[in-house]
Amino acid sequence: MGADDVILFEDECSLRKTATFTRMWAPKGNQPQIESDSDRSRVNIFGTVNPLEGEVCFQIADRQNADTFQEFLEKLLVRYAEKSKIILILDNARIHHAKKIQEFLTKLDGNTPKIELFFQPPYSPELNVIERLWKYLRKQVTHNTFFKSIKDLIEAVRSFFTKFIKPTQVIKSLCTIF
C-alpha cells in the first residue's frame, strides 16, 4: 500500500419501514407501545468506512444491483480523486462480481484512482468493520421507532449520516481494527 492509497470497507444495508423492536427502559408495570404497520418498503444504502481516518461515505439507492453499485463506485472516485489507489474490502455479494463492474473497473483511465477489490472469505461479516456502523445506525435510527412514511425513514438516515460528514473519533472507535 502506498502513501497515497486509501483502504475502505464497503457493504450494503437495507432498512425496512416496519418498526424493529429491541429492549428498552420503561416504568415498572407500563408496557411500551410502538406503533407499527405492515408496509414492507425499504431504504437501500451503499456505504464505506475508513477506520483509520474515521471517514464514512454513503449513498441511498432504489435497489441494490450492479448499476447502483457502479454509481457508488463513481462517487468514491470523485471523493477520493486525489488518491492513487482505492483499496475496497468487501463481501462476495453477486453485484460485486458482476460483469458490468469488472468492465467498469477495467476501463478506468490513468487520470482516476485505480479501484482494487479485495473479497473477504464467504460468510464472514464479522471481518467487515462497516457491519458495526450498520448496527449502530439501526440502534440510533430504527430501533423502537415508527416512521409514517418511507420519506421519514430516508430523512432519519440522512440526518444520522450528517453527523459523520467530517472524519470523527466515533467512527474510529466504532470501527477499530487493531
Side-chain angles (χ1 to χ4, degrees):
M1 182 174 141
D4 276 354
D5 299 344
V6 63
I7 296 177
L8 304 173
F9 288 81
E10 191 277 341
D11 195 26
E12 300 79 34
C13 170
S14 291
L15 302 176
R16 294 199 183 272
K17 186 179 153 298
T18 310
T20 57
F21 302 103
T22 188
R23 295 177 289 185
M24 63 188 301
W25 289 100
K28 189 173 182 175
N30 288 345
Q31 176 72 33
Q33 299 295 313
I34 299 172
E35 200 174 338
S36 186
D37 63 21
S38 60
D39 185 349
R40 308 269 304 162
S41 325
R42 68 172 146 186
V43 174
N44 296 298
I45 308 165
F46 287 88
T48 59
V49 66
N50 177 342
L52 301 176
E53 300 297 325
E55 294 176 325
V56 172
C57 183
F58 82 102
Q59 182 167 304
I60 295 174
D62 292 338
R63 53 186 40 107
Q64 294 176 11
N65 59 28
D67 293 329
T68 53
F69 182 53
Q70 181 177 326
E71 289 171 13
F72 185 63
L73 293 177
E74 290 168 356
K75 179 177 184 169
L76 293 177
L77 288 170
V78 171
R79 177 154 183 185
Y80 295 101
E82 79 285 354
K83 300 294 184 182
S84 57
K85 189 186 313 177
I86 299 170
I87 300 168
L88 211 56
I89 301 171
L90 58 160
D91 62 19
N92 283 281
R94 183 178 292 168
I95 63 172
H96 301 154
H97 292 280
K99 183 178 179 182
K100 177 178 181 131
I101 298 303
Q102 299 308 315
E103 290 170 355
F104 168 74
L105 294 175
T106 303
K107 289 180 183 175
L108 290 178
D109 65 31
N111 296 329
T112 60
K114 180 180 178 186
I115 297 178
E116 286 189 25
L117 305 182
F118 286 89
F119 295 100
Q120 297 173 318
Y123 311 107
S124 56
E126 70 280 359
L127 298 178
N128 197 339
V129 296
I130 196 170
E131 295 288 351
R132 299 176 202 165
L133 178 64
W134 297 146
K135 184 177 180 180
Y136 186 64
L137 167 70
R138 286 183 172 94
K139 183 178 179 183
Q140 297 293 312
V141 176
T142 64
H143 286 345
N144 300 325
T145 304
F146 173 71
F147 297 96
K148 290 185 180 188
S149 71
I150 196 73
K151 288 172 76 174
D152 292 340
L153 175 56
I154 291 170
E155 183 56 39
V157 169
R158 289 186 194 282
S159 177
F160 170 83
F161 280 110
T162 58
K163 296 179 233 169
F164 307 113
I165 289 173
K166 294 183 180 176
T168 69
Q169 189 61 39
V170 172
I171 298 301
K172 281 184 178 183
S173 62
L174 186 67
C175 298
T176 300
I177 55 177
F178 299 108

